[in-house]
Amino acid sequence: MRDTWELLAIVEETIDFAFQGKQLLNMYEYLKSIKATKKDATEFIESSVAKEIQLLVMDLEAYLEGGNDDEHKQLREGYGHLGKPEARKIKDYLLSILEDAWKYEQEKRPGRRRKTSK
């Protein structure tokens, strides 16, 4: 892969775009297009950026769930400007980025390479 840092920068930018209502990255197709290895996918999955996405997804799920305790009040302050339909779209999109990386990593398990016919 070109550079793990480049992938992380692209995903961080994608997170920002998601909160602007833009879903620009299909993670699975992107990993395929750059011929990422299983190691590349694993490095992304274990990165701080992937952990940030996981935390955002959990926050958005809690915001959508609602509640009157202090945690939910903070979440309403942080995400209330989105509205629940938009928050749901963002949550689903961010989760799809992680799921695509997990799927790609699983598909890149070591094994025998197929012989191509000449």
Side-chain angles (χ1 to χ4, degrees), residues 15 19 50-67 69-84 86-92 94-95 98:
I15 294 168
F19 281 91
K51 289 181 183 24
E52 176 186 349
I53 292 173
Q54 290 171 339
L55 291 173
L56 285 169
V57 167
M58 289 189 311
D59 281 353
L60 288 167
E61 284 174 346
Y63 165 67
L64 291 166
E65 173 188 294
D69 60 0
D70 286 341
E71 178 188 356
H72 287 93
K73 286 178 185 175
Q74 280 186 312
L75 291 170
R76 273 195 307 277
E77 286 178 23
Y79 298 109
H81 68 284
L82 294 173
K84 292 199 175 185
E86 187 64 23
R88 195 171 292 108
K89 285 180 197 172
I90 293 168
K91 176 193 70 88
D92 292 344
L94 294 176
L95 186 57
L98 294 174

Side-chain angles (χ1 to χ4, degrees), residues 30-55:
Y30 179 73
L31 290 171
K32 244 172 59 173
S33 73
I34 63 170
K35 295 180 172 62
T37 63
K38 176 183 169 85
K39 181 180 178 228
D40 297 328
T42 302
E43 284 179 5
F44 168 73
I45 290 166
E46 294 173 352
S47 73
S48 61
V49 174
K51 289 181 183 24
E52 176 186 349
I53 292 173
Q54 290 171 339
L55 291 173

